Amino acid sequence: MNLQIVINIIIALMWMFLSESYTFSTFLVGYLLGILLLFVLQRFIPDSFYMDRVIKVIKLIILFIKELTLSNIEIVKLVYKPKLDFEPGIFALPTELKSNWEITILANLISLTPGTLSIAVSEDNSKIYIHAIDIPDVVESINDIKETFEKAIMEVTR
Amino acid sequence: MSGTWINLLIDIIISLSLLTGTFFIFSASIGMLRFPDIYIRLHAVTKGSTLGIAGIMIGAFLFLYVEHGIVSGKLILGMIFVMVTSPISGHMISRAGYHNGVKLWDKSVRDDYAEAVKEKRKSIDN
Amino acid sequence: MEKALEFTQSMITVVTLICIVVIAVSVIMLMYRAIAGPTNPDRAVALDNIGVNLMALAGLMAIVLVTTQLNDVVLLIGILLFIGTIAIAKFLEKGVIIERDLD
């Protein structure tokens, strides 16, 4: 993957020298051409095409923004509700992710889903403690939310 | 002629994004006043303020770009920075509050973390 | 057509002023929570949110004054706010900000 990025930058620099205009936009055009060349020639280059991973990262970011917007609307609904009749509480969510990076991203994503806020991570990184605004609502839906997040994170990091 | 229409549309988009941003920030403050304990207040703050900042920064960026031709990436950077850091600070403060002994709201129904904290205290004492 | 454009441009000014007033009110509400808040973490959260509101105010002032000078201010407030909040949280949790013996 590192080799591919280096090749891509070299192609972009070559494009800049060939067209004899040393501006950022020429570099960008060269970079795009390099991506195209790498895509066409991916059979002859070691490792898989690196844009695959970039696309997965972009998908993760889009997921992040979608959840952020939804949770904002949810919390605004709660703020202007005349009666505070929800049942908050803290529950433990077991997770399969291991490394510190993955746990950090998962905790941040959980903080931004509607009605949940990660409070702490257990000592052996096996559980995340989550404060939920409305426990009966959240416990039902948390499992499939967790699975989508874990899948998206694993695709990026592994 | 078509340029005027586009300017008109962009002006309306700027006003709308400014208004939505302000609305979300204001709701976060109201939640801060209304909600009963710190954990629920943190819900309001960490979520409400991010989208509020996003709306206002996008409005300011569009305004400076369209009306005066100034591209200022710092506004977009500030927006992304708040988006990334607000869940982290929420996590830190809620954990600090729990270890400081701030009680949950009376109507809370469940607390799994209490046992973990108790066990940890016991192991430290031994 | 020209009149409509003038109207929308004056509308942006009015909307910006309204936004500034509303955010000022919300800062006052947060000041109440920062002074009266029952526990110390409450005050920390209120201060954090006041900082976010200040960022929004700086962005709106950039629209009113039509400068790029305030963009640095927005970014700086954001960074200092994050560091300050983390420091306060660590102080409340452990009593120290920088731990000497890392375990």
Side-chain angles (χ1 to χ4, degrees):
Chain A
M1 183 177 149
N2 294 333
L3 180 70
Q4 289 185 23
I5 295 175
V6 170
I7 292 175
N8 206 340
I9 290 174
I10 289 175
I11 292 173
L13 284 176
M14 272 174 67
W15 180 257
M16 240 164 76
F17 284 116
L18 284 175
S19 52
E20 289 197 334
S21 77
Y22 308 100
T23 55
F24 178 72
S25 52
T26 326
F27 185 82
L28 203 66
V29 172
Y31 202 87
L32 292 177
L33 280 175
I35 288 173
L36 191 73
L37 276 178
L38 282 177
F39 177 70
V40 174
L41 301 175
Q42 57 181 309
R43 275 175 53 206
F44 307 104
I45 300 169
D47 287 344
S48 59
F49 185 46
Y50 82 96
M51 286 308 283
D52 285 349
R53 192 167 268 206
V54 174
I55 288 171
K56 277 168 191 162
V57 171
I58 290 172
K59 266 185 192 162
L60 191 64
I61 292 172
I62 289 175
L63 185 74
F64 196 81
I65 291 173
K66 200 187 89 189
E67 294 292 338
L68 181 68
T69 320
L70 283 180
S71 65
N72 267 287
I73 293 165
E74 193 80 8
I75 205 76
V76 166
K77 266 188 216 158
L78 272 181
V79 165
Y80 291 113
K81 216 172 170 186
K83 261 178 86 179
L84 301 175
D85 54 352
F86 36 81
E87 299 176 329
I90 298 176
F91 67 95
L93 178 77
T95 173
E96 291 150 27
L97 301 173
K98 289 284 181 300
S99 68
N100 288 343
W101 262 106
E102 292 167 342
I103 297 264
T104 311
I105 299 174
L106 183 67
N108 277 1
L109 276 175
I110 284 175
S111 279
L112 290 176
T113 44
T116 54
L117 178 77
S118 64
I119 284 194
V121 180
S122 67
E123 293 279 297
D124 52 350
N125 283 1
S126 66
K127 277 178 194 162
I128 297 182
Y129 294 96
I130 297 174
H131 183 272
I133 278 193
D134 215 353
I135 282 251
D137 247 16
V138 169
V139 168
E140 279 174 22
S141 61
I142 194 73
N143 273 324
D144 38 299
I145 292 173
K146 188 193 97 177
E147 263 164 31
T148 30
F149 284 164
E150 282 190 343
K151 222 194 227 166
I153 293 171
M154 272 186 201
E155 271 179 354
V156 170
T157 53
R158 287 180 192 173
Chain B
M1 199 61 214
S2 63
T4 341
W5 274 110
I6 290 172
N7 273 339
L8 211 70
L9 201 67
I10 286 179
D11 283 358
I12 291 170
I13 289 175
I14 291 170
S15 313
L16 274 182
S17 72
L18 285 181
L19 281 178
T20 40
T22 312
F23 173 70
F24 278 114
I25 286 185
F26 190 68
S27 333
S29 306
I30 293 208
M32 201 62 200
L33 278 186
R34 271 195 76 197
F35 285 154
D37 77 348
I38 179 168
Y39 306 103
I40 308 174
R41 277 178 205 148
L42 269 171
H43 278 275
V45 169
T46 52
K47 285 160 196 161
S49 55
T50 44
L51 205 62
I53 278 289
I56 287 179
M57 289 304 152
I58 287 173
F61 177 82
L62 275 180
F63 179 81
L64 287 179
Y65 178 62
V66 172
E67 307 280 325
H68 304 279
I70 308 167
V71 180
S72 60
K74 282 170 199 158
L75 291 175
I76 302 290
L77 265 185
M79 179 184 100
I80 294 173
F81 194 80
V82 169
M83 273 187 172
V84 172
T85 57
S86 86
I88 298 173
S89 46
H91 178 90
M92 289 292 285
I93 291 183
S94 63
R95 205 178 59 183
Y98 202 97
H99 286 286
N100 239 1
V102 178
K103 293 274 184 302
L104 289 168
W105 190 31
D106 302 337
K107 288 184 192 166
S108 303
V109 287
R110 197 169 153 185
D111 190 356
D112 290 352
Y113 192 39
E115 299 159 17
V117 171
K118 213 181 277 172
E119 272 174 25
K120 201 180 160 193
R121 291 242 169 90
K122 215 179 272 175
S123 70
I124 288 175
D125 285 345
N126 294 336
Chain C
M1 204 57 229
E2 295 296 320
K3 268 185 184 168
L5 199 61
E6 270 174 29
F7 173 71
T8 50
Q9 269 170 3
S10 60
M11 187 176 78
I12 286 183
T13 328
V14 174
V15 162
T16 317
L17 287 179
I18 291 172
C19 289
I20 288 178
V21 170
V22 170
I23 290 180
V25 171
S26 102
V27 168
I28 292 172
M29 277 155 48
L30 286 168
M31 286 291 278
Y32 167 74
R33 182 54 77 198
I35 294 167
T39 57
N40 277 335
D42 275 312
R43 297 191 176 103
V45 178
L47 283 178
D48 182 68
N49 210 10
I50 285 178
V52 172
N53 287 14
L54 278 183
M55 279 176 81
L57 273 182
L60 289 170
M61 284 311 282
I63 294 182
V64 173
L65 299 176
V66 200
T67 56
T68 49
Q69 310 294 326
L70 283 169
N71 299 349
D72 300 317
V73 178
V74 171
L75 206 55
L76 268 180
I77 293 176
I79 293 169
L80 291 180
L81 188 69
F82 176 61
I83 297 173
T85 312
I86 295 293
I88 291 176
K90 283 202 82 167
F91 179 72
L92 286 176
E93 188 177 344
K94 293 182 178 144
V96 289
I97 294 173
I98 301 168
E99 293 165 75
R100 293 290 163 91
D101 48 337
L102 293 169
D103 48 337

